[in-house]
Amino acid sequence: MYPDPMALAQVRDVATHAGVSPATVSNALNHPEKVSETTRRRVQAAIDELGYVRNDAARQLRQRHNTAVGMIVLDVANPFFADVVRGAEDSLGVHRRPVLVGNSGQDAERELAHLRLFEEQRVSGLLISPVGDVLDRLREISGRGTPVVLVDRHHGDDDFPSVAVDDELGGRMAAEHLLDQGRRRLTMIGGPTSIRQVAQRRAGAQAAVDAVAGATLTTIDTGAMDVESGRTGARRLLAEDAAARPDAIFAANDLVALGALQELVRAGVRVPEDVALIGYDDIEFAASATVPISSVRQPALEMGERAAALLVAAVDDPDAPPEHPRFTPTLVARESTLGG
Amino acid sequence: MYPDPMALAQVRDVATHAGVSPATVSNALNHPEKVSETTRRRVQAAIDELGYVRNDAARQLRQRHNTAVGMIVLDVANPFFADVVRGAEDSLGVHRRPVLVGNSGQDAERELAHLRLFEEQRVSGLLISPVGDVLDRLREISGRGTPVVLVDRHHGDDDFPSVAVDDELGGRMAAEHLLDQGRRRLTMIGGPTSIRQVAQRRAGAQAAVDAVAGATLTTIDTGAMDVESGRTGARRLLAEDAAARPDAIFAANDLVALGALQELVRAGVRVPEDVALIGYDDIEFAASATVPISSVRQPALEMGERAAALLVAAVDDPDAPPEHPRFTPTLVARESTLGG
DNA sequence: CTGAAAGCGCTTACAG
DNA sequence: CTGAAAGCGCTTACAG
């Protein structure tokens, strides 16, 4: 079906060219200390001359070991996850492990496809921030020998290590901050609520609201968590009766907050005077928005680094008890919630 | 060195379990039309029961063909490239080709490492926006049979297809817009200038400035193109004598523009009254900045889609003459350059 | 429609 | 330090 790649040089060609055996070529490449200086140089010269490029599939098949690590994230276009990935890459780079990144885009099917692909590739480990209901699937994969580390998520009964931030606490911090500013009619924008992060942040906010008499929390489920969803959510909110309108918005993440802000500004609604606005993640762009956006900060880089470290530990010792480090979110108050 | 993965089920186990031969298992999986309905179901049942997961390395070795495509981008954390990747993924997904993304992070060494890894993996093609001086390297790779498509770059004498935007035109548009607003002392912030995009945008801006008597263009080379570089660049600019200060900034991309804006606002410099500011790429966050930032828009999604299409075409017919579609940038004027 | 045999391109014991 | 032989787990002609 596809054109045959032209005849590439193989170990045996290199061997012939250098006047040694294939085994020696392989040793020169993989165990240089086993080969004499002279031979090594002759082999290298032959490699350069022939433009030999090792076939990784054959190598992996024989070695029964793939150094690469697979990473599946909710949304690569979200700067928060971009930073988590960067943290993992930095950490794994030290161990000379390439990171293959798969983007689920909050789509459960794409998530499954990536899981399958990575397992077929026999990656040495898997880092994942799950969208769908894949815990059973992950248990199977892990049971077959591929270590799994959960990123940005933790179940009490998890069989695998995880790195998480206390989302319930974060949600509570966001809501308490809004309440402290005198706001009482809160709305949360984001979704889908089936995503654990969203549900937990909402639960935390609900707890804070319940503790204050007369305070309320409603929800606008946008089904996604990008800038466009923020715009949609804000539009739905603006369609409501102005009198009943909330006086504070808790956006499930900063992308949503940015979209909501755009729409509010366009509609002439003043932030924070008419509506206070707080986001989540504290991505770089929150601070430089039209109105600088308050946010609940998560340590993205550190989370990625730590997750990678847990994975390397699990690869080295599959029987070690799983750790579940938990990071604490911090509130970053800016103009969008202050001085309203 | 690493713990042996436990004995996973293999085709022969599935075959035994289903009471057929390994060849039939393989056919059931890869050429279902060659296998009877009953047999196919028995095989599938055995697969499910044993939790068989195909070994991709063995498959690839035998098939001599990898469907995956490798993509190397300058900076995954830049929303512009995130969109280019998304465009490529959308387009390649239709052809059922997974995209493996490698991030060079504007680092020539990481770029080479990814090139080597992808070629060893025998990816069916390579999409790359090059950082370093890798054209010779790419010619070798392409000569060995891996089709290469250049993204966001075009050399007149390229042996491979490419997708590009006219950066010189974009640079000229940015500068002309600033000049039209009555600005005369322009500064470009970005870098390194060794990156072709930066050099060409600058050349275009220079041409525009040269056409206007009394207009000048200076450069602040920041060595990188992220938000932090924008801050650094603006700080260096603010350290200059206020009288000699430029009245307009052309940031090499929007991340740099956002960083510069942050620093200017902090220093109490008014945008656009004291200094006009224009960026490049028109990422989503430019429009929602403290002061909405003017920008030169590049069609990121379309570029990714088109590049992927060219790659698929090159895979299907390696001897087709390379195409070099070129997109036209468009100016998006916002508050940061208007009404100063 | 099904199966026996060969082979993809490496690396790994093992013997020398 | 070097090489002959075996084998990693699949898929592909080919024969039946």
Side-chain angles (χ1 to χ4, degrees):
Chain A
M1 173 156 179
Y2 290 95
D4 241 30
M6 53 223 58
L8 294 181
Q10 303 187 175
V11 272
R12 68 155 174 268
D13 301 314
V14 174
T16 309
H17 206 81
V20 297
S21 76
T24 297
V25 171
S26 177
N27 279 329
L29 246 29
N30 302 300
H31 308 285
E33 73 285 358
K34 289 188 175 177
V35 174
S36 77
E37 176 70 24
T38 338
T39 309
R40 205 160 43 205
R41 269 210 287 263
R42 273 222 310 276
V43 169
Q44 189 54 53
I47 287 175
D48 292 341
E49 202 160 330
L50 299 176
Y52 169 72
V53 178
R54 160 162 75 191
N55 182 321
D56 202 43
R59 174 187 169 81
Q60 265 181 53
L61 177 57
R62 182 58 237 244
Q63 284 198 149
R64 321 181 47 131
H65 180 243
N66 182 354
T67 54
V69 162
M71 182 161 190
I72 301 177
V73 295
L74 282 178
D75 179 12
V76 276
N78 183 338
F80 169 72
F81 284 109
D83 278 345
V84 176
V85 170
R86 201 149 56 84
E89 279 177 341
D90 288 350
S91 177
L92 258 2
V94 175
H95 297 270
R96 320 231 57 198
R97 295 186 173 278
V99 180
L100 307 174
V101 179
N103 181 26
S104 70
Q106 293 205 11
D107 177 338
E109 274 192 48
R110 286 180 64 183
E111 175 172 53
L112 284 174
H114 279 121
L115 280 175
R116 167 168 289 275
L117 181 67
F118 285 144
E119 195 182 8
E120 290 186 352
Q121 290 183 174
R122 302 289 192 269
V123 294
S124 55
L126 225 33
L127 292 166
I128 178 172
S129 52
V131 207
D133 194 12
V134 285
L135 281 170
D136 284 341
R137 196 69 217 290
L138 293 177
R139 275 192 203 100
E140 284 171 31
I141 292 173
S142 161
R144 284 181 213 117
T146 305
V148 172
V149 171
L150 253 31
V151 179
D152 201 20
R153 165 148 182 176
H154 172 58
H155 273 201
D157 56 346
D158 280 345
D159 314 311
F160 1 80
S162 66
V163 169
V165 177
D166 190 334
D167 276 302
E168 213 167 311
L169 174 56
R172 197 167 67 223
M173 290 167 68
E176 279 175 355
H177 174 64
L178 294 171
L179 294 163
D180 284 349
Q181 301 299 310
R183 312 289 169 158
R184 287 297 177 269
R185 296 191 309 286
L186 279 53
T187 280
M188 178 156 182
I189 301 183
T193 43
S194 59
I195 292 187
R196 193 205 43 85
Q197 284 90 330
V198 177
Q200 293 200 351
R201 287 169 200 174
R202 192 188 189 291
Q206 187 68 58
V209 165
D210 288 346
V212 174
T216 57
L217 175 67
T218 55
T219 306
I220 295 182
D221 186 338
T222 51
M225 301 272 272
D226 50 17
V227 176
E228 181 54 34
S229 303
R231 290 195 203 105
T232 314
R235 247 177 266 130
R236 274 163 59 187
L237 182 147
L238 292 168
E240 291 174 18
D241 183 19
R245 217 179 262 168
D247 57 11
I249 296 171
F250 173 24
N253 75 9
D254 285 340
L255 297 181
V256 172
L258 281 159
L261 178 62
Q262 279 178 16
E263 203 61 29
L264 293 171
V265 168
R266 173 175 326 185
V269 175
R270 293 169 306 163
V271 176
E273 292 81 352
D274 301 328
V275 183
L277 174 66
I278 188 166
Y280 209 103
D281 290 343
D282 193 31
I283 62 173
E284 210 161 20
F285 305 106
S288 45
T290 317
V291 178
I293 299 178
S294 302
S295 193
V296 177
R297 175 170 166 68
Q298 308 199 83
L301 270 178
E302 293 87 326
M303 290 170 68
E305 281 168 12
R306 195 68 204 278
L310 289 180
L311 188 62
V312 171
V315 169
D316 288 347
D317 177 10
D319 298 322
E323 288 183 61
H324 303 282
R326 205 174 251 272
F327 291 86
T328 308
T330 47
L331 184 83
V332 183
R334 300 198 178 91
E335 206 180 312
S336 71
T337 54
L338 299 175
Chain B
M1 175 157 178
Y2 290 95
D4 242 28
M6 53 224 60
L8 294 180
Q10 303 187 175
V11 271
R12 69 156 173 267
D13 302 315
V14 175
T16 309
H17 206 82
V20 296
S21 75
T24 297
V25 172
S26 177
N27 279 329
L29 245 30
N30 302 300
H31 309 283
E33 74 284 357
K34 289 189 174 175
V35 174
S36 78
E37 175 69 23
T38 339
T39 308
R40 205 161 42 204
R41 270 210 285 264
R42 274 224 307 278
V43 169
Q44 189 55 53
I47 287 175
D48 293 340
E49 202 160 329
L50 299 177
Y52 169 72
V53 177
R54 161 163 73 190
N55 182 323
D56 201 44
R59 176 187 168 82
Q60 265 181 52
L61 177 58
R62 182 59 235 246
Q63 284 199 151
R64 320 180 48 128
H65 180 242
N66 183 353
T67 54
V69 162
M71 181 160 191
I72 302 176
V73 295
L74 283 178
D75 179 12
V76 276
N78 183 338
F80 169 72
F81 284 107
D83 278 345
V84 176
V85 170
R86 201 150 55 85
E89 278 178 342
D90 289 350
S91 177
L92 259 1
V94 175
H95 298 269
R96 319 230 58 197
R97 294 183 174 280
V99 181
L100 307 175
V101 179
N103 181 27
S104 70
Q106 294 205 8
D107 177 338
E109 274 192 47
R110 287 180 65 182
E111 175 172 54
L112 283 174
H114 279 122
L115 280 175
R116 165 168 291 275
L117 180 67
F118 284 145
E119 195 181 7
E120 289 186 352
Q121 290 184 172
R122 301 289 192 270
V123 294
S124 56
L126 224 32
L127 292 166
I128 179 172
S129 50
V131 208
D133 194 13
V134 286
L135 281 170
D136 284 341
R137 196 67 218 292
L138 293 177
R139 278 193 201 99
E140 285 171 31
I141 292 174
S142 161
R144 285 183 213 115
T146 305
V148 172
V149 171
L150 252 32
V151 179
D152 201 20
R153 165 148 181 176
H154 173 56
H155 272 201
D157 55 347
D158 280 345
D159 314 310
F160 2 79
S162 65
V163 169
V165 177
D166 190 335
D167 277 302
E168 213 167 310
L169 173 58
R172 196 165 70 223
M173 291 167 67
E176 280 174 353
H177 174 64
L178 294 171
L179 294 163
D180 283 351
Q181 301 299 312
R183 311 291 170 159
R184 287 297 176 269
R185 296 191 309 285
L186 278 54
T187 280
M188 178 154 182
I189 301 183
T193 43
S194 60
I195 293 188
R196 193 206 43 84
Q197 284 90 331
V198 177
Q200 293 199 351
R201 286 168 201 174
R202 193 187 188 292
Q206 187 68 57
V209 165
D210 288 345
V212 174
T216 58
L217 175 68
T218 55
T219 306
I220 294 181
D221 186 339
T222 51
M225 301 272 271
D226 51 16
V227 176
E228 182 54 34
S229 304
R231 289 194 204 107
T232 314
R235 248 177 265 130
R236 273 161 59 186
L237 184 146
L238 292 168
E240 293 174 18
D241 183 20
R245 218 179 263 168
D247 56 11
I249 295 172
F250 174 23
N253 75 9
D254 285 341
L255 297 182
V256 171
L258 281 160
L261 178 62
Q262 279 179 14
E263 203 60 30
L264 293 171
V265 168
R266 174 176 325 187
V269 175
R270 292 168 306 164
V271 176
E273 292 82 352
D274 301 328
V275 183
L277 173 67
I278 188 166
Y280 209 102
D281 289 344
D282 193 31
I283 63 173
E284 209 161 22
F285 305 106
S288 46
T290 318
V291 178
I293 299 177
S294 301
S295 194
V296 177
R297 178 171 163 68
Q298 307 199 84
L301 270 178
E302 293 88 326
M303 291 171 67
E305 282 170 10
R306 194 69 206 278
L310 289 180
L311 188 62
V312 172
V315 169
D316 288 346
D317 177 10
D319 299 322
E323 289 184 62
H324 303 283
R326 203 175 253 272
F327 291 86
T328 308
T330 47
L331 184 84
V332 183
R334 300 199 179 91
E335 205 180 314
S336 72
T337 54
L338 300 175

